[in-house]
Amino acid sequence: MDFSQVLAEKTHTIIDKWVTAVRKDRRIESADDLSYTAVKDHIPDVLQAMVTVLSKSQDNDIQSIVTASFQHGAIRAEQGFDPAEIAREYHLLRTVIFDALQPDLLNGTPEEIIRSIRLIDAIIDEAIARCFKSYVEERLRELQQLQSSLTLHNDELRRLISANQEYLSQLAHELKHPLTSIIGYSDLFLRQQRRKTRIKDTSANLEHIERVLRNGRQLLHLINDVLELSRYEAGQIKLQLAPTDVRELINNICEMLEPLAAGKNLKVVLDCDRAPKEIITDPFQCQQIITNLISNAIRYTESGTVIIVCQVLENQRCAIAVSDTGIGIASENQAQIFEPYFRVSFSDRPYLPDSTGLGLAIVSRLVKLLQGEINLVSEVGVGSTFTVILPLEIES
């Protein structure tokens, strides 16, 4: 019995059932926000190669499996999947394929059944190996880019530190832990690769890469904040004024941060009905201000709602208010909240590990640069509201 023909006829059904299974599996969270096409990716090519290999009348088409799986791994890396999620994908694919073919397999001879099962298992194992190989290469490529970026930032940081020693001690403390982790895990990964670890150790190696990248991104975020604050203090930020649709700007920022809110089951509410049609400002700096405020609201809120309101005020001004139901800020800390490196913490709730204490300091300075003001109303355990008031048109 030719099971390749059966598999070819059921390919579309298998793909549909597999995509559904991936979406329902809570261990593959990275697929939640992907379209049907994005989840499907190159799996149809893997199945087509499987049809060819199962066929008794055609030569094995291993190269098409290699190509399809290699591309699948690279794309999954770009989409933010972790190794466990990819392995789970292929586990589900194996299950769906055998479920679909089971009635037909039972009609075959024992030799045919054994041959087909062995081939399908071998194909999926090969696909997993090639997928992980490309996943590792994509992560290493990202790591190399990150290293290059860190090198450039390090040169700029050296120049700034030589000119300004005020925060050197505290900055060194903040850089110490992520740098130690990057160096340690990089060294461990390289030593393991030199020993040419077996395939079964791939997941451990991938986890080391993921940790390096997480700490690298945290370090890069900190350095970017330091550089942004230093550029402001040095008077190096030059405004690029342009008509700006503030309503569209806020919508775009909310769409960008929606996965962060969805990950904590937070509701984000927009009220921009009374927003001005446009304001004359620097759209990039304005975007930085709003992004920082909304991302802070999400990060420091464990449950409830984040509300963004934009409206026109008197005297040719507009207000953008970001409210949350988060931890709140004590009155004695509110005067310091816009100072560099200041972070609020409680005995039972320390500040977030990726917090730099620079976000609000940058916000307050950018607001001043845009000829505006920022106000804070907050209560511990109830939440906070940051209100930025900007002119409808910046005076040249």
Side-chain angles (χ1 to χ4, degrees):
M1 185 174 183
D2 187 358
F3 292 110
S4 65
Q5 184 62 33
V6 176
L7 180 60
E9 293 172 354
K10 295 187 176 183
T11 292
H12 292 300
T13 301
I14 290 172
I15 291 172
D16 288 341
K17 289 185 177 180
W18 176 76
V19 171
T20 300
V22 169
R23 288 189 179 282
K24 289 182 178 180
D25 197 312
R26 290 298 87 205
R27 284 174 281 184
I28 312 179
E29 296 181 353
S30 297
D32 289 349
D33 298 322
L34 297 181
S35 66
Y36 177 92
T37 302
V39 174
K40 182 178 68 172
D41 189 37
H42 286 81
I43 293 301
D45 299 327
V46 175
L47 291 175
Q48 182 56 47
M50 193 178 294
V51 169
T52 304
V53 174
L54 284 174
S55 175
K56 298 177 181 179
S57 60
Q58 301 183 45
D59 294 333
N60 288 355
D61 189 11
I62 296 298
Q63 185 56 44
S64 61
I65 299 172
V66 170
T67 301
S69 303
F70 202 85
Q71 293 170 333
H72 184 72
I75 289 177
R76 285 300 190 247
E78 293 175 2
Q79 292 169 335
F81 279 63
D82 62 39
E85 291 177 318
I86 297 175
R88 182 66 182 166
E89 276 192 318
Y90 278 102
H91 170 76
L92 292 175
L93 180 62
R94 194 192 309 262
T95 300
V96 171
I97 290 173
F98 282 127
D99 285 347
L101 296 184
Q102 181 176 346
D104 300 281
L105 286 172
L106 294 176
N107 292 326
T109 65
E111 292 79 8
E112 290 173 332
I113 295 173
I114 292 173
R115 174 183 177 274
S116 299
I117 290 176
R118 284 178 174 175
L119 282 175
I120 292 172
D121 278 336
I123 292 165
I124 292 180
D125 288 343
E126 180 68 18
I128 292 173
R130 297 295 177 174
C131 184
F132 276 161
K133 184 176 186 297
S134 64
Y135 183 92
V136 171
E137 291 182 0
E138 180 64 24
R139 282 293 188 239
L140 286 174
R141 184 189 63 79
E142 184 181 350
L143 186 60
Q144 289 170 348
Q145 290 179 341
L146 187 62
Q147 182 184 19
S148 298
S149 181
L150 286 172
T151 300
L152 292 174
H153 281 81
N154 185 57
D155 293 340
E156 177 69 6
L157 196 59
R158 287 175 182 272
R159 185 188 66 79
L160 291 170
I161 289 176
S162 65
N164 184 357
Q165 298 292 323
E166 184 177 357
Y167 296 115
L168 177 59
S169 176
Q170 190 159 0
L171 178 61
H173 175 75
E174 294 292 341
L175 294 176
K176 177 181 177 180
H177 297 293
L179 273 175
T180 301
S181 182
I182 288 173
I183 294 170
Y185 279 107
S186 296
D187 181 67
L188 176 60
F189 176 75
L190 291 174
R191 283 189 282 110
Q192 287 183 334
Q193 290 303 304
R194 291 192 184 103
R195 292 200 302 266
K196 297 183 178 178
T197 54
R198 298 184 297 275
I199 292 177
K200 69 178 184 179
D201 296 322
T202 300
S203 295
N205 290 337
L206 291 173
E207 178 58 23
H208 296 328
I209 297 175
E210 297 293 340
R211 291 183 183 181
V212 170
L213 290 174
R214 278 197 300 270
N215 283 280
R217 293 189 188 104
Q218 179 184 341
L219 177 58
L220 190 58
H221 175 63
L222 172 59
I223 293 175
N224 281 331
D225 282 351
V226 171
L227 295 177
E228 182 70 15
L229 189 64
S230 299
R231 279 193 288 266
Y232 174 87
E233 301 292 356
Q236 295 178 352
I237 299 178
K238 304 300 181 184
L239 294 181
Q240 303 293 325
L241 303 183
T244 303
D245 186 338
V246 68
R247 185 181 308 183
E248 181 181 6
L249 187 67
I250 294 174
N251 281 329
N252 291 339
I253 294 170
C254 288
E255 288 180 4
M256 177 181 66
L257 297 177
E258 195 280 331
L260 187 63
K264 302 177 74 174
N265 293 318
L266 298 178
K267 183 179 181 181
V268 177
V269 178
L270 290 179
D271 180 5
C272 295
D273 293 339
R274 294 166 291 170
K277 291 184 178 180
E278 68 177 27
I279 62 176
I280 306 300
T281 189
D282 186 319
F284 178 76
Q285 308 302 341
C286 189
Q287 176 180 311
Q288 279 198 288
I289 293 169
I290 300 171
T291 300
N292 265 316
L293 292 179
I294 297 177
S295 61
N296 265 7
I298 294 172
R299 289 165 64 223
Y300 287 96
T301 302
E302 293 305 319
S303 63
T305 308
V306 174
I307 303 173
I308 302 99
V309 178
C310 181
Q311 59 183 329
V312 175
L313 302 178
E314 298 176 350
N315 301 324
Q316 293 295 299
R317 298 181 303 164
C318 73
I320 303 169
V322 178
S323 304
D324 62 59
T325 55
I327 59 176
I329 303 167
S331 56
E332 62 269 21
N333 292 325
Q334 292 180 20
Q336 300 172 276
I337 199 67
F338 298 108
E339 295 178 6
Y341 303 106
F342 181 81
R343 289 173 290 189
V344 177
S345 62
F346 302 90
S347 58
D348 61 338
R349 189 195 299 267
Y351 56 76
L352 296 181
D354 60 343
S355 171
T356 64
L358 294 174
L360 289 176
I362 293 172
V363 166
S364 67
R365 284 154 177 77
L366 292 181
V367 169
K368 184 177 180 181
L369 192 66
L370 297 182
Q371 300 177 7
E373 60 183 83
I374 184 168
N375 302 312
L376 167 63
V377 176
S378 184
E379 182 178 349
V380 174
V382 177
S384 305
T385 298
F386 288 86
T387 303
V388 173
I389 300 175
L390 299 173
L392 295 181
E393 182 172 357
I394 291 181
E395 297 177 5
S396 301

